[in-house]
Amino acid sequence: MSPKTLYDKIWDAHVAHEAEDGTSLLYIDRHLVHEVTSPQAFEGLRMAGRPVHAPDKTIAVPDHNVPTTPGREDPSNMTADSAIQVAALDKNAKDFGIHYYPVSDVRQGIVHIVGPEQGWTLPGMTVVCGDSHTATHGAFGALAHGIGTSEVEHVLATQTLIQKKSKNMKVEITGKLQPGVTAKDITLAVIGETGTAGGTGYVIEYCGEAIRDLSMEGRMTVCNMAIEGGARAGLIAPDEKTFEYVKGRPHAPKGAQWEAALAWWKTLYSDDDAHWDKVVTLKGEDIAPVVTWGTSPEDVLPITANVPSPEDFEGGKVEAAARSLEYMGLKPGTPLSEVEIDTVFIGSCTNGRIEDLRAAAEIVKGKKIKEGMRAMVVPGSGLVRAQAEEEGLADIFKDAGFEWRLAGCSMCLAMNPDQLQPGERCASTSNRNFEGRQGRGGRTHLLSPAMAAAAAVTGKLTDIRDLT
Amino acid sequence: MDKFEKLTGVAAPMPMINVDTDMIIPKQFLKTIKRSGLGVNLFDEMRFDDDGNEIPDFVLNQPAYRNAEILVAGDNFGCGSSREHAPWAIKDFGIRCVIAPSFADIFFNNCFKNGILPIVLPQEDVDKLMDDAQRGSNAVLTIDLENQTISGPDGGEIAFEVDAFRKHCLLNGLDDIGLTLEKAGAIQSFETKAAQERPWV
């Protein structure tokens, strides 16, 4: 048998039909659904009189536009249009008989945090969601990617997706990371290296010692931003850490089924001589704590660097950089560590897990946020929130002056009331620094949870290594 | 789905790289439960100021391009989120074809589901069409999907590639779900086999 990559193996195990030109029907094991990209899909089913093909494989949770302040179970505390979308999801989940975690459920949270937490996401699965950050689930060795609403409707109706196979790309991070360098720095550094279109047409497998050394939370952070590198999906081969994380979760297999699953999962790795269409290698020790300076996730620099000048670039990037710098209100040559911040956002499907909150709390402990700073922590799920409260992290944040919020996507995309005002500058653990992403005119610097916490304390972008 | 066969229309130039889905349709317009009516919000933050007045410099506000049906853009068009509101807004505005050196994956897929033809061309061809598009209302291009050609105002022709299955669906306005349900037997066989091999799923 010819050697295969992990992607090849998962793909082959899920092809339900293949046409002569390679167009395939890929069977979907888990379909995650949220309130923003699904209403039109359910409406399409109703109009055609179609049921959901596999309601037991379909899981819904409202996350994008729910407020993160108390009293949100009452729709009158939401904006009217948000309330309509959440009510539509309530109704669709009930009418079509799919699994559902409503706003009032402690297990509610960001769909990409809830899926793994509840054991819906398992190695070797195909996972889709009408959300580009579905790549997160690749951390389990699951083939996971975002789809549009037409495809959401297609999966609801047929449990399959029309696909052509992507190419294989290996991203290897060798050796150890330096102190203060995190999974977020890895994933941003990779995008800085490849550009936001570098992964277009590929599925990435992340590997190497630095990836192996990451916790499951860290691996989810890395895979989460595969889409920002343009890739269809990001994958990490499952190992003992993966199995340990999955074991005992509510929807993970038990008993004899666990043993059978484990036996298959252990075959899910890329064969030594598998073919790669593209290989990118970074040395772990060369990765520094990084921040973004512009309005594309590829605008990444070490915190020790200066704001670049448009002339540092070539081609279309010259104009793009000039536009970014103007939008961001930054002068070329300014040290990034002197850029003053007025808002800090810790949360999102990229960095809203317990490990992220622990890392931020460690920096904040016993300190106060800078006067005038607006800082908030938005846990990724109700269960992350509960655990952080039990571990005393919530008190650390509150004592320091952070707002301690309920779970949701929040200021990552600012569809709920958590938004930046024009000109406000935010140190954010989220995934996109696009113009207007966190609010019209808002300026976003992407960084790790520890770096965001440090910025909250000092009032400017800060090298975490100076604080520890 | 609407068929796409031949389109003759004004091409608007947008020579930016990395035009992201937040630019195409900002998040405040995602709170709809409909597919229609988003054209007025297309490129909202670039097209309108804080008071809702048109920004005259923006390409689609210029008299020559207000009825553009084709967009010529830079690398990595449509990067960012999976929101299908982006192609919905483009189509509702009246644009049925986007030409660029490269597209983001999910946006590219979403276009085909909505009767929009995204065309990938080498940079030099895009540069030429960008040049054509900058001639205002004289910038009329004809896109012929059947023959896979773009004809410019000077009569020159550029050939383009398109996936055969997607071309077939666009030309005939075929609904993916209907096509897939014709293969219900294959899906059922797969499910029977998968239930034995991976009963935990």
Side-chain angles (χ1 to χ4, degrees):
Chain A
M1 217 165 45
S2 60
K4 289 180 175 183
T5 63
L6 171 57
Y7 171 49
D8 297 338
K9 290 179 183 179
I10 303 174
W11 174 272
D12 289 349
H14 289 86
V15 176
H17 181 271
E18 186 174 348
E20 276 176 22
D21 71 345
T23 303
S24 301
L25 278 184
L26 195 68
Y27 193 82
I28 301 305
D29 293 327
R30 293 286 181 265
H31 186 190
L32 309 175
V33 173
H34 65 81
E35 78 278 22
V36 175
T37 56
S38 68
Q40 295 87 348
F42 284 110
E43 188 58 22
L45 290 187
R46 278 200 185 86
M47 284 166 67
R50 290 171 176 145
V52 171
H53 182 86
D56 55 324
K57 295 180 165 72
T58 311
I59 300 100
V61 57
D63 58 3
H64 276 57
N65 60 27
V66 296
T68 57
T69 41
R72 63 183 185 168
E73 300 81 359
D74 179 353
S76 69
N77 288 332
M78 288 190 203
T79 60
D81 42 11
S82 292
I84 288 170
Q85 277 193 334
V86 172
L89 190 63
D90 285 343
K91 179 171 163 51
N92 289 329
K94 190 159 164 263
D95 287 359
F96 289 93
I98 62 180
H99 298 282
Y100 190 47
Y101 302 100
V103 177
S104 56
D105 193 311
V106 69
R107 297 166 297 178
Q108 178 272 345
I110 306 172
V111 65
H112 306 307
I113 291 187
V114 173
E117 205 167 65
Q118 293 300 318
W120 291 113
T121 308
L122 300 172
M125 280 184 162
T126 46
V127 181
V128 296
C129 174
D131 187 279
S132 56
H133 292 108
T134 310
T136 313
H137 307 265
F140 292 80
L143 176 59
H145 58 88
I147 54 178
T149 299
S150 294
E151 291 182 315
V152 170
E153 186 179 340
H154 191 278
V155 176
L156 289 172
T158 70
Q159 205 58 26
T160 65
L161 208 52
I162 301 174
Q163 290 271 289
K164 271 200 174 165
K165 203 173 169 205
S166 303
K167 291 179 282 185
N168 278 289
M169 176 168 169
K170 175 159 93 167
V171 173
E172 186 174 19
I173 315 293
T174 61
K176 300 280 180 197
L177 298 178
Q178 302 274 13
V181 179
T182 68
K184 184 64 165 288
D185 301 298
I186 292 180
T187 204
L188 283 171
V190 170
I191 298 161
E193 178 77 19
T194 62
T196 49
T200 304
Y202 294 92
V203 164
I204 295 175
E205 181 177 338
Y206 299 95
C207 60
E209 187 181 357
I211 298 291
R212 288 278 137 240
D213 283 351
L214 293 175
S215 65
M216 286 312 295
E217 285 86 351
R219 293 178 189 184
M220 284 188 255
T221 301
V222 170
C223 289
N224 173 275
M225 290 190 71
I227 181 68
E228 261 60 65
R232 174 161 295 173
L235 284 169
I236 294 174
D239 60 11
E240 288 303 323
K241 277 185 196 167
T242 321
F243 309 143
E244 190 57 36
Y245 180 98
V246 167
K247 198 171 186 178
R249 303 238 162 218
H251 296 280
K254 312 268 184 314
Q257 291 218 347
W258 170 262
E259 295 305 327
L262 198 59
W264 187 58
W265 294 346
K266 288 182 174 174
T267 68
L268 298 176
Y269 53 82
S270 290
D271 297 327
D272 283 342
D273 37 5
H275 172 74
W276 299 98
D277 300 290
K278 190 170 177 178
V279 176
V280 172
T281 307
L282 265 66
K283 282 187 192 167
E285 65 193 35
D286 288 349
I287 301 175
V290 293
V291 297
T292 61
W293 54 266
T295 56
S296 167
E298 70 191 12
D299 299 339
V300 174
L301 281 173
I303 179 66
T304 48
N306 295 342
V307 174
S309 154
E311 290 84 65
D312 298 341
F313 300 93
E314 289 174 358
K317 192 70 191 169
V318 176
E319 212 166 308
R323 183 183 168 98
S324 285
L325 290 173
E326 191 189 337
Y327 181 87
M328 293 296 290
L330 292 174
K331 280 206 175 64
T334 311
L336 284 166
S337 58
E338 286 177 11
V339 174
E340 291 188 3
I341 294 294
D342 43 46
T343 308
V344 168
F345 170 65
I346 297 174
S348 85
C349 59
T350 314
N351 282 126
R353 285 169 285 269
I354 190 69
E355 181 183 279
D356 302 315
L357 304 195
R358 286 180 190 141
E362 195 178 309
I363 301 298
V364 167
K365 194 172 186 176
K367 300 190 179 81
K368 295 280 181 204
I369 61 172
K370 177 97 172 175
E371 206 184 317
M373 176 75 63
R374 169 190 179 203
M376 65 170 87
V377 180
V378 184
S381 73
L383 292 180
V384 168
R385 186 173 195 268
Q387 188 176 350
E389 286 178 348
E390 201 175 293
E391 293 183 14
L393 308 181
D395 290 334
I396 293 174
F397 288 121
K398 286 189 273 189
D399 291 348
F402 279 84
E403 296 174 47
W404 178 245
R405 296 295 193 87
L406 297 167
C409 299
S410 180
M411 200 188 272
C412 173
L413 83 168
M415 276 194 76
N416 78 345
D418 306 334
Q419 302 182 4
L420 292 182
Q421 296 303 308
E424 280 186 336
R425 189 181 295 280
C426 180
S428 178
T429 67
S430 55
N431 41 54
R432 290 199 177 122
N433 50 354
F434 296 157
E435 287 180 21
R437 171 80 178 180
Q438 296 192 290
R440 184 168 183 144
R443 294 161 171 166
T444 304
H445 295 276
L446 303 176
L447 33 53
S448 73
M451 291 272 281
V457 171
T458 63
K460 53 187 188 176
L461 296 176
T462 299
D463 190 337
I464 185 66
R465 295 167 297 192
D466 296 342
L467 236 75
T468 46
Chain B
M1 189 178 74
D2 294 343
K3 287 184 186 178
F4 188 111
E5 293 167 303
K6 202 169 192 177
L7 169 70
T8 299
V10 171
M14 209 170 170
M16 285 173 69
I17 61 166
N18 296 334
V19 171
D20 61 64
T21 50
D22 281 72
M23 287 178 182
I24 299 171
I25 186 80
K27 67 239 158 218
Q28 60 270 33
F29 306 112
L30 307 188
K31 298 191 185 193
T32 172
I33 55 172
K34 296 184 191 153
R35 285 178 159 97
S36 56
L38 289 166
V40 292
N41 310 120
L42 177 68
F43 292 118
D44 180 83
E45 292 182 5
M46 297 158 92
R47 206 166 135 205
F48 304 104
D49 67 17
D50 291 347
D51 302 320
N53 302 311
E54 285 189 4
I55 298 170
D57 286 350
F58 184 68
V59 62
L60 298 180
N61 288 334
Q62 296 170 21
Y65 302 109
R66 298 183 81 90
N67 296 311
E69 293 175 81
I70 299 161
L71 199 59
V72 185
D75 249 326
N76 202 27
F77 189 89
C79 60
S81 99
S82 65
R83 60 187 69 165
E84 200 160 314
H85 308 68
W88 293 338
I90 287 174
K91 180 148 178 233
D92 195 57
F93 179 88
I95 292 170
R96 294 287 308 275
C97 175
V98 185
I99 301 168
S102 67
F103 290 88
D105 186 42
I106 303 177
F107 175 84
F108 189 73
N109 287 331
N110 284 342
C111 283
F112 285 102
K113 313 287 181 194
N114 291 282
I116 299 171
L117 175 63
I119 299 178
V120 179
L121 287 178
Q123 186 71 51
E124 58 266 30
D125 287 342
V126 174
D127 290 345
K128 170 160 188 326
L129 293 173
M130 193 72 77
D131 209 42
D132 289 340
Q134 274 154 351
R135 299 184 204 178
S137 52
N138 292 326
V140 174
L141 300 181
T142 296
I143 317 286
D144 182 343
L145 178 56
E146 178 66 50
N147 293 308
Q148 298 181 209
T149 56
I150 304 169
S151 325
D154 300 335
E157 241 181 37
I158 293 173
F160 64 89
E161 295 294 316
V162 58
D163 177 84
F165 173 71
R166 287 171 152 161
K167 176 180 173 180
H168 174 70
C169 291
L170 272 184
L171 283 172
N172 297 289
L174 296 177
D175 159 30
D176 276 355
I177 296 177
L179 285 176
T180 297
L181 287 174
E182 287 173 9
K183 302 193 183 79
I187 297 172
Q188 200 174 24
S189 310
F190 178 90
E191 286 180 322
T192 307
K193 187 166 138 272
Q196 287 164 2
E197 290 174 0
R198 298 189 295 276
W200 60 86
V201 171

